[in-house]
Amino acid sequence: MSYEIPSNTKFIITTGGVVSSLGKGIACASLGLLLKARGLKVTIMKFDPYLNVDPGTMSPYQHGEVFVTEDGAETDLDLGHYERFIDENMSQMNNVTTGQIYNTVISKERRGDYLGATVQVIPHITDEIKERIVLLARQSNADVVIVEVGGTVGDIESLPFLEAVRQFCLESGHANAITMHLTLLPFIGVAGELKTKPTQHSVMRLREIGIQPDFLICRTDRAIDESAKKKIALFCNVRPEAVIEAVDADTIYEVPLQLAAQKLDQLVIDKLHLKTGPADLNHLEKIVQKIKYPEKEVTVAICGKYTQLHDAYKSIMESFVHAGVANDTAVNLRWIDSEALEVKGGSEKHFQDVHAILVPYGFGHRGIEGKLEAVRYAREQRIPFFGICLGLQCAVIEFARNVCGIKDANSSEFDVNAANPVIHIMESQRSITEKGGTMRLGTYPCLTGDGTLARRIYDSEIIIERHRHRYEVNNDYRRRLEEHGMRLSGLSPDGTLVEIIELKDHPFFIACQFHPELKSRIIRPHPIFAHFVKAALDYAGRND
């Protein structure tokens, strides 16, 4: 063994069975919140069993949102849940894919690190997986590291991770590393009962691999009666109190409260021989009450290219939940496929009874004219508008065409031969040929201008935000944009990159090149989203 497991860190490994998308990420984040509320330092990592090095080149329809960390890693969307729940920044070390593992092992083999040995899944791949857990534990200096193993038990691609987990738990000792298994309890309507057999078979498969779960978290749409719990416990070789029900919740932020009510955090504390105080969940309880019983409501249209898969905009969706709490308001999202707006004269129908319009990020030319139409409609109808990344670029193109009179204004992303590329590729991106992990990624500073909406929103001259883009506002057109009423209200410190734009004669029109949704937390809503929802409330008050 080429590594030493830190003696001051405890480990919780979470696996899943029966079906995917049961909510392992939410379960891990919720347990992390409960343990942090007890005063422990917690971090969470995700093992993704696909061969991509990262999700950066994957279609949103394949993967959902790409979550970008402070240090510029393109990661799984579950890292967003981790950050939003435990209020800790993740890093590139918190997301590990099969592609990264094999890439590292092959590089070591090419260098001769294995001294001529035959390189195999065991021990070389499994050792590399275990080393990633240890490296994160050392870097974070966490009291508890929670590890989520993606996929489900029985998936062939997950086997190396599960074998590594088996070895790691054995080497760490049962007082230092425990496992949780998340399964589905389906309700069969004809029979009128919850069925435990899928859970039994899932645990059986896990035990065949050599992993005996310490806790079972059972997803269900209704409460589990005591007889079913005892049956699951008996056939899965766990104590009845270790069978935790995870009933469908009205909001994901209610899940930690559900788990705490069943004393999962205390059971984990006891199992790992940790000493902590009680968890103070009063603030979370108040937040959940505001989410479930808001005083007001508004409707926000999201005009995007990937609206058929809402996970493509997961952080945006959660940011609206946070901003809704800040305004004691339910934010109802209306999903509008930008291609649907390319039919002339259809905007009025799509935006009827909408109190604000958001145009989010995306790549490629598909649906762009529809996004431009959404910007035009918001600008002319004086509806609160917010653009993110490509949303800013669309706002600039629309303004250049319809206000500045540059009828053929475009982005060189959509037309490499554009006569007036008001958006063009960044200078630093011109020589790059590989697509994976090469965009402008991670945090960069921005200076907000005096007397601007941006300054009022942030109440700070210097802000730090996360980025993921290759294209920017073409500086050759900045003067013309400003002469016609666009304010370049946020710039990079050297003044060369436009980060935020707004309109002088509009009640609320703002767009940013960065991704503010990535930094919004349930206990600290992002200020742009909070002000955007407030603007939607004001608009509703004037027009409803």
Side-chain angles (χ1 to χ4, degrees), residues 22-164:
L22 281 180
K24 290 193 302 295
I26 298 297
C28 290
S30 296
L31 180 56
L33 182 153
L34 295 176
L35 296 178
K36 187 176 179 184
R38 285 173 169 266
L40 295 170
K41 183 174 174 56
V42 179
T43 192
I44 314 175
M45 72 186 304
K46 172 78 179 284
F47 284 140
D48 269 316
Y50 50 73
L51 282 169
N52 303 70
V53 172
D54 57 47
T57 57
M58 294 170 69
S59 164
Y61 285 125
Q62 287 276 318
H63 182 271
E65 172 189 77
V66 174
F67 188 83
V68 179
T69 59
E70 294 279 289
D71 60 354
E74 294 174 297
T75 71
D76 183 76
L77 60 80
D78 276 318
L79 271 74
H81 290 311
Y82 305 162
E83 288 202 1
R84 288 187 284 270
F85 274 68
I86 69 172
D87 195 25
E88 298 284 346
N89 288 332
M90 300 292 106
S91 73
Q92 60 182 336
M93 298 189 70
N94 292 82
N95 192 200
V96 178
T97 70
T98 298
Q100 292 174 13
I101 296 295
Y102 274 82
N103 191 42
T104 300
V105 169
I106 290 169
S107 296
K108 287 181 177 180
E109 186 273 334
R110 294 288 82 190
R111 290 199 306 265
D113 291 8
Y114 299 121
L115 302 176
T118 300
V119 179
Q120 298 175 287
V121 172
I122 302 172
H124 301 97
I125 296 298
T126 51
D127 278 356
E128 185 64 33
I129 292 169
K130 290 184 289 184
E131 284 189 28
R132 297 300 179 100
I133 301 174
V134 170
L135 284 171
L136 178 61
R138 287 178 179 159
Q139 183 206 54
S140 63
N141 197 31
D143 299 309
V144 179
V145 175
I146 301 174
V147 181
E148 176 190 351
V149 181
T152 60
V153 132
D155 294 344
I156 192 169
E157 60 263 33
S158 297
L159 287 175
F161 290 104
L162 294 173
E163 171 59 20

Side-chain angles (χ1 to χ4, degrees), residues 36 47-48 72 79 88 107 111 143-144 146 158 183 195 206 212 252 299 329 347 373 375 394 406 416 495 503-504 520:
K36 187 176 179 184
F47 284 140
D48 269 316
L79 271 74
E88 298 284 346
S107 296
R111 290 199 306 265
D143 299 309
V144 179
I146 301 174
S158 297
T183 70
K195 289 296 183 180
L206 194 62
Q212 167 62 56
I252 58 173
T299 299
T329 300
S347 300
E373 173 59 17
V375 176
C394 287
I406 311 173
V416 293
L503 297 184
K504 295 178 181 178
S520 187

Side-chain angles (χ1 to χ4, degrees), residues 405-473:
I406 311 173
K407 296 302 180 183
D408 56 355
N410 212 334
S411 167
S412 58
E413 179 183 6
F414 315 136
D415 181 1
V416 293
N417 299 313
N420 284 289
V422 294
I423 305 295
H424 67 170
I425 195 164
M426 303 181 72
E427 189 63 39
S428 60
Q429 294 285 315
R430 293 182 187 279
S431 61
I432 292 174
T433 56
E434 291 191 359
K435 294 192 179 297
T438 57
M439 284 188 275
R440 185 173 186 254
L441 294 164
T443 54
Y444 291 87
C446 167
L447 302 182
T448 60
D450 288 335
T452 62
L453 175 60
R455 175 68 65 84
R456 178 162 61 85
I457 287 173
Y458 280 96
D459 193 27
S460 176
E461 180 184 5
I462 302 175
I463 61 174
I464 308 291
E465 293 284 2
R466 300 182 193 179
H467 295 68
R468 185 177 185 249
H469 63 109
R470 296 185 194 278
Y471 292 82
E472 65 175 338
V473 175

Side-chain angles (χ1 to χ4, degrees), residues 504-515:
K504 295 178 181 178
D505 59 349
H506 194 284
F508 192 99
F509 189 108
I510 193 165
C512 53
Q513 186 60 71
F514 46 81
H515 290 262

Side-chain angles (χ1 to χ4, degrees), residues 477-491:
Y477 294 86
R478 280 169 58 168
R479 182 175 178 181
R480 193 162 176 182
L481 292 168
E482 289 181 297
E483 286 174 347
H484 284 82
M486 178 172 282
R487 297 198 71 172
L488 311 181
S489 57
L491 301 174

